[in-house]
Amino acid sequence: MNNVRKRAGITAGVVLAGIGLAFPAVAFAEDHSKPATAAEARPHAGKGAELREEHRKELAEALAKDLGVPVDKVTGSLEKFRAAQGEKHREERKDRKDEWAGERPDAAALQKKLADRLDQAVKDGKLTRAQADAVIAAAKAGVLPGPGGGPHHQER
């Protein structure tokens, strides 16, 4: 619940700053090429989308009342802000994906590292040799998730 309040407070601050800077300089034009609400854009999203849309509407109404501006202008500003944030996050994910491309760890090296760690655990008395051997066998069989393990890594 605290996270929701923080997000609402941050969003309200951004909207207030945007309204203070943007309204005097920009005239809003209505774009009919896309759905007006998130619920219309994703009708299959279910109850969660409906609740989010309801909360967004309540936030826009409260901000409009506090600022003395029409609700549709606040809603437009919030939608623009969300769209910009979504684009920013998509770009960040794309950049991370590009950075990690081609840097998959070698499965054999990871299994060797796992075996070394398990050997140390046996020496430290944290595992028995039978337990360590079972984990190593599971890794070699592809049962463990992650690079070098799991069903999607077999038969390459």
Side-chain angles (χ1 to χ4, degrees), residues 10-149:
I10 290 170
T11 302
V14 169
V15 169
L16 290 174
I19 289 172
L21 297 174
F23 277 121
V26 179
F28 285 90
E30 196 167 322
D31 183 9
H32 296 288
S33 64
K34 61 183 178 183
T37 64
E40 292 172 2
R42 299 183 313 161
H44 62 280
K47 187 72 171 171
E50 291 174 15
L51 290 174
R52 278 190 301 279
E53 190 61 30
E54 185 179 320
H55 288 265
R56 288 175 179 174
K57 183 179 176 184
E58 290 172 4
L59 174 64
E61 289 171 355
L63 287 171
K65 181 180 177 185
D66 287 347
L67 298 171
V69 296
V71 175
D72 59 337
K73 287 188 176 186
V74 173
T75 302
S77 291
L78 288 172
E79 289 297 322
K80 285 182 180 181
F81 174 74
R82 287 186 198 106
Q85 289 295 83
E87 183 61 31
K88 177 183 169 189
H89 291 294
R90 280 189 291 281
E91 287 296 321
E92 288 173 354
R93 282 194 305 270
K94 183 180 178 274
D95 290 345
R96 281 192 303 252
K97 184 178 179 183
D98 291 344
E99 288 174 10
W100 296 336
E103 296 182 19
R104 293 185 68 91
D106 178 39
L110 289 175
Q111 286 182 356
K112 169 83 171 94
K113 186 176 179 180
L114 175 63
D116 292 344
R117 290 179 66 197
L118 291 170
D119 288 341
Q120 186 61 47
V122 170
K123 287 179 186 173
D124 294 344
K126 295 179 181 178
L127 292 176
T128 66
R129 173 51 45 199
Q131 290 170 324
D133 290 342
V135 172
I136 292 169
K140 287 182 180 177
V143 175
L144 299 179

